[in-house]
Amino acid sequence: MNTKNSWLRLLVIALAIPVFVLNGWLLLLTLEYFKSIINIFVTATLLSFLLDYPVQRLQNYGLKRTIAILGVLLITLIIFMILGITLIPMIIQQFDTLIERFPSWIESGTQQVKTLESWAMIRHIPVNIGGVTFQLLEKLSSQVQSLGGDFIGGVFTVFSRILDVVITGAMTFYLLLHGDQLWDDLYKLFPARIRTPIRLALKKNFKNYFIGQASVATLIGTLMTLAFVIIQVPFGLLFGMVIGVMALFPFGASLGIGLICFLVALNSIWLGVKVLITAIIVDQIIENGIAPRLLGGFTGLNPVLILLSLLIGARIAGFLGLIIAVPLASFLKSLITILQTPASESI
């Protein structure tokens, strides 16, 4: 009898796997079809999460919520306009100049590798990195050259989608104004005993994460830029902002630091070492002194699961998927725990 039940269980699992895969494939097709709408809604939701904190601060000073929302949106718009007039043109200019100088940096890196090999051969040290390095530099050069056109074209494409920007801004306003009602309706889909735990888990894994992660990323980008300018790194503003943007998701700051140090080392290996030491000092100060207070180790995810969620998020939704992958995975973990908790413990 037990053997028969085991075979039936295996048969059910075998039949369920194709259905699960088919449903997943149909879900991906649906997400791809509504990708632009989903991107607008997710972006507006993230902005509403971030802006709700200063809105609540203004409400504590006695302002009505509508006035507080309009004030925060106006300040945010002014900040973006200032950035668009000052920093963004400078970043685009530095990126364009980097693309022009990159072939000479590749040549400089090649010469430095040859010098290192010659130095090692004189001292009878078995070092043979020339072939691999040359292939890597050739691929990197072609990728950067193609990235230049994609980046500039992408910037103009973003600025040309004025309608999407307007819709996102309007949706952000209404989410700030009526978002609580929307989430209350969504919470009603769950049984009454787990609505409060789910609400708390969602706030912990999304709202707190984005506020903390955005604060850390802004701080890293600002301090890295200042440090690069002080030690006179070429394209310091561009490189600092790249690290800041990559810091929006876990392990991104370390990956950005490694990439920037490699690029700078192509031009001057000693300057690359200098950048590496400076970036590590700044990153460690933030990661060990400031980030724990802002993020609080909220995810509770294994690093392997974090990397896996980042890969899946990037594959499904690109950069936006990278940003929401970790808090979504953490929320799903919390949701599973909540659903497995007995009713007597969840009350």
Side-chain angles (χ1 to χ4, degrees):
M1 186 68 179
N2 291 333
T3 304
K4 183 178 180 180
N5 291 335
S6 299
W7 279 107
L8 287 176
R9 189 179 298 108
L10 291 175
L11 179 61
V12 171
I13 294 174
L15 293 175
I17 290 177
V19 175
F20 178 79
V21 173
L22 179 60
N23 289 333
W25 177 67
L26 292 175
L27 177 61
L28 290 177
L29 289 180
T30 304
L31 292 176
E32 182 65 27
Y33 183 78
F34 295 102
K35 185 176 182 178
S36 60
I37 299 175
I38 294 174
N39 286 341
I40 291 174
F41 178 75
V42 172
T43 302
T45 302
L46 298 183
L47 289 175
S48 66
F49 276 159
L50 293 174
L51 297 179
D52 186 60
Y53 182 75
V55 168
Q56 291 180 2
R57 288 286 185 175
L58 291 179
Q59 284 186 272
N60 292 336
Y61 288 102
L63 292 178
K64 293 183 178 180
R65 184 167 179 83
T66 304
I67 302 299
I69 292 173
L70 291 175
V72 170
L73 289 178
L74 180 60
I75 294 173
T76 304
L77 179 61
I78 292 174
I79 292 175
F80 276 113
M81 289 178 63
I82 293 175
L83 293 177
I85 295 173
T86 57
L87 286 181
I88 293 180
M90 293 172 61
I91 292 174
I92 294 175
Q93 182 181 6
Q94 288 194 8
F95 185 84
D96 192 37
T97 306
L98 174 63
I99 297 299
E100 294 178 358
R101 294 186 185 179
F102 198 73
S104 64
W105 283 26
I106 293 291
E107 181 63 26
S108 174
T110 304
Q111 293 298 326
Q112 291 182 83
V113 171
K114 291 180 179 179
T115 302
L116 176 62
E117 286 191 332
S118 300
W119 178 86
M121 289 178 61
I122 294 174
R123 289 160 178 78
H124 304 287
I125 300 175
V127 175
N128 185 19
I129 59 175
V132 177
T133 304
F134 297 152
Q135 293 180 4
L136 177 62
L137 291 178
E138 288 180 1
K139 291 182 179 180
L140 181 62
S141 178
S142 61
Q143 289 294 326
V144 171
Q145 294 292 340
S146 62
L147 180 63
D150 294 340
F151 176 81
I152 301 299
V155 169
F156 285 108
T157 299
V158 170
F159 280 101
S160 65
R161 294 179 178 176
I162 299 177
L163 181 60
D164 288 350
V165 174
V166 172
I167 294 175
T168 303
M171 187 170 292
T172 301
F173 172 77
Y174 284 110
L175 282 172
L176 284 169
L177 194 61
H178 304 292
D180 289 340
Q181 301 174 11
L182 174 63
W183 298 120
D184 287 339
D185 292 337
L186 292 177
Y187 291 138
K188 292 178 181 178
L189 298 175
F190 299 96
R193 73 175 183 87
I194 61 173
R195 287 176 190 169
T196 300
I198 288 179
R199 181 189 292 269
L200 295 176
L202 186 66
K203 180 179 179 180
K204 177 183 177 182
N205 292 292
F206 274 86
K207 187 174 182 178
N208 293 352
Y209 169 79
F210 287 118
I211 292 175
Q213 197 72 31
S215 301
V216 170
T218 302
L219 189 59
I220 289 178
T222 302
L223 293 183
M224 288 291 183
T225 301
L226 292 175
F228 291 164
V229 171
I230 291 173
I231 63 176
Q232 298 181 345
V233 178
F235 315 108
L237 174 62
L238 174 64
F239 291 158
M241 290 297 101
V242 168
I243 295 176
V245 171
M246 296 186 71
L248 286 171
F249 54 90
F251 311 116
S254 300
L255 182 61
I257 289 172
L259 175 63
I260 297 306
C261 291
F262 177 75
L263 291 176
V264 175
L266 291 177
N267 184 40
S268 171
I269 189 170
W270 299 116
L271 184 58
V273 173
K274 195 175 180 180
V275 168
L276 177 61
I277 295 173
T278 303
I280 288 177
I281 293 174
V282 174
D283 182 64
Q284 288 303 307
I285 292 174
I286 296 174
E287 292 292 334
N288 296 322
I290 300 175
R293 298 182 181 181
L294 294 175
L295 298 178
F298 78 101
T299 59
L301 289 177
N302 187 289
V304 176
L305 294 178
I306 292 177
L307 288 174
L308 183 61
S309 64
L310 289 173
L311 292 174
I312 295 175
R315 178 65 181 85
I316 295 177
F319 183 75
L320 188 61
L322 281 174
I323 295 178
I324 68 173
V326 175
L328 180 59
S330 183
F331 172 70
L332 291 177
K333 179 184 176 182
S334 300
L335 180 60
I336 293 173
T337 303
I338 291 171
L339 294 177
Q340 292 177 343
T341 303
S344 58
E345 297 183 14
S346 62
I347 297 176

